[in-house]
């Protein structure tokens, strides 16, 4: 339970924007913008619209899986836990 709480807190912490780039989304905000089922490419596209790099999006996918916020349906396909 403690590990899950720490992971959840890390996901919802606000991130600092980089210079003059648009305000970046928190990990929780990023996840909220995605549909119930989505592909890796959808998450990357959403991230890019909000100044989030592809690598950061992939790290977030990994963290969301580990934190049990999403589950993997197949290669590059995910579903949010409701």
């Amino acid at each position: 339970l403690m590990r899950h709480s720490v992971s959840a807190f890390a996901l919802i912490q606000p991130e600092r924007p980089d210079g003059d780039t648009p305000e970046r989304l928190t990990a929780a905000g990023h996840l909220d913008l995605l549909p119930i089922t989505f592909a890796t490419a959808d998450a990357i596209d959403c991230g890019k619209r909000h100044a989030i790099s592809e690598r950061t999006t992939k790290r977030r996918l990994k963290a969301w899986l580990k934190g049990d916020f999403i589950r993997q349906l197949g290669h590059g396909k995910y579903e949010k836990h409701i």
Side-chain angles (χ1 to χ4, degrees):
L1 180 61
M2 181 60 119
R3 187 181 306 153
H4 177 74
S5 296
V6 170
S7 295
F9 180 76
L11 287 173
I12 61 172
Q13 276 184 306
E15 296 177 1
R16 297 179 56 168
D18 295 334
D20 292 335
T21 59
E23 186 74 24
R24 289 179 55 187
L25 290 173
T26 62
H30 190 171
L31 184 58
D32 286 343
L33 290 177
L34 295 169
I36 299 296
T37 57
F38 62 93
T40 302
D42 299 328
I44 291 170
D45 290 342
C46 177
K48 284 184 179 179
R49 286 192 303 272
H50 295 278
I52 298 168
S53 72
E54 180 175 338
R55 182 66 190 121
T56 297
T57 297
K58 287 182 178 182
R59 281 190 202 107
R60 286 179 173 181
L61 285 170
K62 192 173 184 178
W64 293 335
L65 282 167
K66 186 176 179 181
D68 206 29
F69 295 99
I70 61 172
R71 70 183 180 112
Q72 191 164 16
L73 301 175
H75 183 74
K77 303 286 184 193
Y78 303 92
E79 179 179 67
K80 289 194 244 182
H81 284 252
I82 302 173

